[in-house]
Structures are given as C-alpha cells and as structure tokens.
C-alpha cells in the first residue's frame, strides 16, 4: 500500500516562530488531508488539499501532487498550536480510506 | 464541529470478553470509519462503511467486525478481546454531499484497555 512519511518527527518552537511540516507519499493520491490532534486527543481537520494551496488564518498548506509531497506552514505559532499534526492520504479505490503518517509532534513554548 | 459521539468513552475489560463500541452521527453522512491509534503507528483503518449494511475491511481488520443497520450508527465489535487490542479507537465520517467523500470528521475517541 501507499507509504506516508512525515518530517520532522518532533519540533519545539518559541511562541511567534514559523515552521514548515512536510509530508511525502509514495504514490499518486486522490485525497490528502492534514489534521491536528490537540493535547486532549481530539482530531481536527485542518485542510482537504489533494493539490494546490489553501490558507486558513495562520495556517496554510501546499500539495504538489506530481512530486508527491505536501507542506503545512504554521506562522506566528502560539501555545495552542501544540499537539500532533498528521498527514493522511487516499491512494485509490475510493471511499476516502485514509492512510496516515506517524505525525509531527509540535510543542510551542512561551 | 460535526455531530459525532462515541460510547463508551473509556472501557476496561478482560481478555476473552466481547466488546462493542458505538459511533453515532447526526450529520447524515454516507461514509463511516473505525480507526485505531497506537504509539508509533499513527491511525490505522480497521473497517469502513459506504452505506447502510455496506461495509468493507481496512488495513487492520483481523479480530474486529462491524455493523451498520441505519445511517447514523456504526458499531465495532471485538468478539473476544485480546491485550493487543488495547488502543484508542476513533470513529470518523465523511460524504455530506452526494457523491463527495472529501473531508473526514472525527469523534472524540474511546480508550479501551484489555487486561
């Protein structure tokens, strides 16, 4: 099946710093989503982005499907951005069956 | 936030006992999913449903069965729980618009411990 690799695995930032998280995938995808899991375990969908660029406040994402990677940008980070960021892709077969990466653990410090 | 609830939220059980987890949605979404989350593995798909009484296996389906008798409910059953099934289980939904799967929305999770 499709492989999803995320980097870096861990990241510590000072509040106000910017960061870029990367997601590489091994095959063409129909669907790519970014999620944030907060420290209480809740999974929140950030972006549905199989291709192109989207922005939502301080977060933006870019997927270059032809080169099989996606980037999540966090600007002016805040302590509430802490948690784990997951990239997930659907490789084919329909049904939105997602394969998740192992995530990037982000900690934002004051 | 999508209206998704999971019950129970926490459960401790013993090896060999049957366990059923329930996912309930109020969004009338077509697709429903069960994932498990374990350290070092991210989330992995157990089973999914693409309509009432229509289900299929995911990546880690051994030891699990599912049923969907109505749009709003998706049940996950461990027929005989084992310690390797200790995990956090998440339900998700998608397909709010006909023919569109896109964004997945997750429930709050169920923490299951098998002793």
């Amino acid at each position: 099946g499709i492989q999803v690799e995320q980097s870096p695995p861990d990241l510590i930032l000072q509040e106000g710093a910017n960061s870029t998280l990367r997601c590489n995938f091994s095959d063409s995808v129909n669907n790519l989503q970014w999620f944030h899991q907060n420290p209480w375990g809740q999974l929140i969908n950030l972006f549905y982005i199989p291709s192109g660029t989207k922005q939502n406040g301080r977060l933006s994402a870019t997927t270059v499907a032809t080169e099989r990677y996606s980037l999540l940008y966090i600007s002016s980070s805040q302590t509430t951005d802490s948690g784990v960021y997951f990239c997930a892709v659907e490789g084919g077969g329909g049904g939105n069956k997602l394969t998740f990466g192992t995530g990037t653990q982000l900690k934002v410090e004051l | 936030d999508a209206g998704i609830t999971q019950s129970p939220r926490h459960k401790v059980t013993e090896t060999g006992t049957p366990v059923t987890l329930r996912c309930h949605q109020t969004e009338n979404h077509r697709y429903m999913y069960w994932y498990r989350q374990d350290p070092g593995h991210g989330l992995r798909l157990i089973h999914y449903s693409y309509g009432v009484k229509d289900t299929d296996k995911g990546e880690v389906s051994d030891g699990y069965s599912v049923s969907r008798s109505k749009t709003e409910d998706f049940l996950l059953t461990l027929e005989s729980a084992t310690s390797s099934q200790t995990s956090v289980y998440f339900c998700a939904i998608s397909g709010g618009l006909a023919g569109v799967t896109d964004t997945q929305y997750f429930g709050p999770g169920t923490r299951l411990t098998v002793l």
Side-chain angles (χ1 to χ4, degrees), chain A residues 76-93:
Chain A
S76 304
S77 59
Q78 301 175 358
T79 55
T80 53
D81 294 330
S82 296
V84 184
Y85 290 81
F86 289 104
C87 168
V89 305
E90 178 195 358

Side-chain angles (χ1 to χ4, degrees), chain A residues 20-35:
Chain A
T20 301
L21 282 55
R22 187 176 180 101
C23 172
N24 292 331
F25 41 95
S26 61
D27 206 343
S28 58
V29 298
N30 299 324
N31 180 346
L32 187 145
Q33 301 183 38
W34 283 96
F35 296 88

Side-chain angles (χ1 to χ4, degrees), chain B residues 6-62:
Chain B
Q6 293 184 229
S7 58
R9 294 292 314 280
H10 302 271
K11 186 171 182 65
V12 179
T13 191
E14 294 188 350
T15 298
T17 60
V19 176
T20 295
L21 308 182
R22 179 183 184 234
C23 177
H24 179 77
Q25 60 146 329
T26 59
E27 305 296 320
N28 200 35
H29 279 48
R30 177 183 176 189
Y31 294 86
M32 299 186 74
Y33 311 83
W34 278 106
Y35 293 89
R36 61 178 287 174
Q37 183 175 27
D38 305 290
H41 288 279
L43 282 86
R44 293 178 291 175
L45 182 65
I46 304 171
H47 281 280
Y48 74 102
S49 169
Y50 46 98
V52 174
K53 297 186 179 180
D54 292 324
T55 65
D56 205 349
K57 297 178 179 180
E59 178 187 357
V60 290
S61 60
D62 287 348

